[in-house]
Amino acid sequence: MGGNKAVLRLPRSRSGEPGPTLVDWAVTRLAAVAAVEEIVVAAGDFGAEVGSVDRGLGVSVAPDGPGSGPAAGVLGAARSRPGHRLLVLACDLPLVPVGLLSNLAASDAELAPAAEDPGNPRSMNPTCALWTPPALKRLAVRIEEGDNRLYPLTRCAALRIGPVDAGRFGDPEDVLLNVNTAADWERARRLVERESGRRSRCAGR
């Protein structure tokens, strides 16, 4: 992407007016989940301020944990709140609906990832998932062993894995669109503009 994805701004409306950054967008969606009590932004080298949320929830910033990439972010949040269940949402997944997040939060699995196809572990996304202490402990061990990948844990036989079908909330390729390229970003912008226009039409009736 040529820069920090977290500070990219989605359009506020069909006019293309700049809206929230991707990190603020993720914070707002997490805050809309009734089960969420607090929000921790695993910052990495992210330097911009994180906006407040309407529900009166605490929003804090934590440094990355050991390892690298998303695993370091997950463990950074886990170390700042030991013993807690974590509802993880990467900021580069801008189209995840609140309904999907709420279903993840309600899971009794030890690791509950959103999935394009719940029967296929390779389609499970551990950066949009509920992580519990047993899964976080296994992640910490993997990182100590030098493996920073999250995805192998979705196939861990020692954990109770409970994937949640993203297709229940829309086209799974849209719902779990991961912004990694300029083309992904343009697609995400178009989908957000389309959704904003649909909401505006409904509000005007």
Side-chain angles (χ1 to χ4, degrees), residues 22-57:
L22 285 184
V23 71
D24 279 332
W25 185 270
V27 165
T28 298
R29 293 204 167 193
L30 287 168
V33 178
V36 169
E37 299 175 350
E38 181 185 10
I39 296 172
V40 178
V41 178
D45 59 359
F46 177 68
E49 292 184 1
V50 180
S52 59
V53 292
D54 293 337
R55 266 187 63 200
L57 298 177

Side-chain angles (χ1 to χ4, degrees), residues 7 27 39 53-54 66 90 98 120 131 135 158 181 188 202-203:
V7 298
V27 165
I39 296 172
V53 292
D54 293 337
V98 172
N120 179 7
W131 287 77
T181 67
C202 291

Side-chain angles (χ1 to χ4, degrees), residues 19-205:
T21 64
L22 285 184
V23 71
D24 279 332
W25 185 270
V27 165
T28 298
R29 293 204 167 193
L30 287 168
V33 178
V36 169
E37 299 175 350
E38 181 185 10
I39 296 172
V40 178
V41 178
D45 59 359
F46 177 68
E49 292 184 1
V50 180
S52 59
V53 292
D54 293 337
R55 266 187 63 200
L57 298 177
V59 181
S60 58
V61 177
D64 276 352
S68 62
V74 172
L75 278 191
R79 286 191 166 192
S80 74
R81 300 296 184 275
H84 284 67
R85 290 159 33 109
L86 300 182
L87 178 60
V88 171
L89 176 62
C91 69
D92 58 4
L93 297 171
L95 301 176
V96 174
V98 172
L100 173 53
L101 294 171
S102 296
N103 272 255
L104 294 171
S107 175
D108 61 358
E110 291 176 321
L111 175 60
E116 292 187 19
D117 176 3
N120 179 7
R122 294 185 179 276
S123 81
M124 299 178 191
N125 193 325
T127 65
C128 178
L130 177 73
W131 287 77
T132 68
L136 293 166
K137 182 177 180 180
R138 289 196 170 271
L139 175 61
V141 169
R142 291 184 65 87
I143 289 178
E144 286 178 1
E145 294 171 347
D147 189 346
N148 294 304
R149 297 173 299 161
L150 295 178
Y151 286 90
L153 285 172
T154 64
R155 302 189 293 276
C156 179
L159 291 173
R160 286 187 291 105
I161 309 297
V164 174
D165 185 1
R168 293 165 50 197
F169 304 91
D171 184 334
E173 292 188 2
D174 292 343
V175 169
L176 294 179
L177 172 63
N178 191 188
V179 175
N180 283 317
T181 67
D184 295 336
W185 176 236
E186 287 306 311
R187 181 179 167 203
R189 285 175 55 86
R190 288 196 302 271
L191 290 167
V192 169
E193 288 175 352
R194 186 175 70 188
E195 182 60 26
S196 295
R198 183 181 297 117
R199 288 197 301 267
S200 296
R201 289 193 297 274
C202 291
R205 289 177 181 171

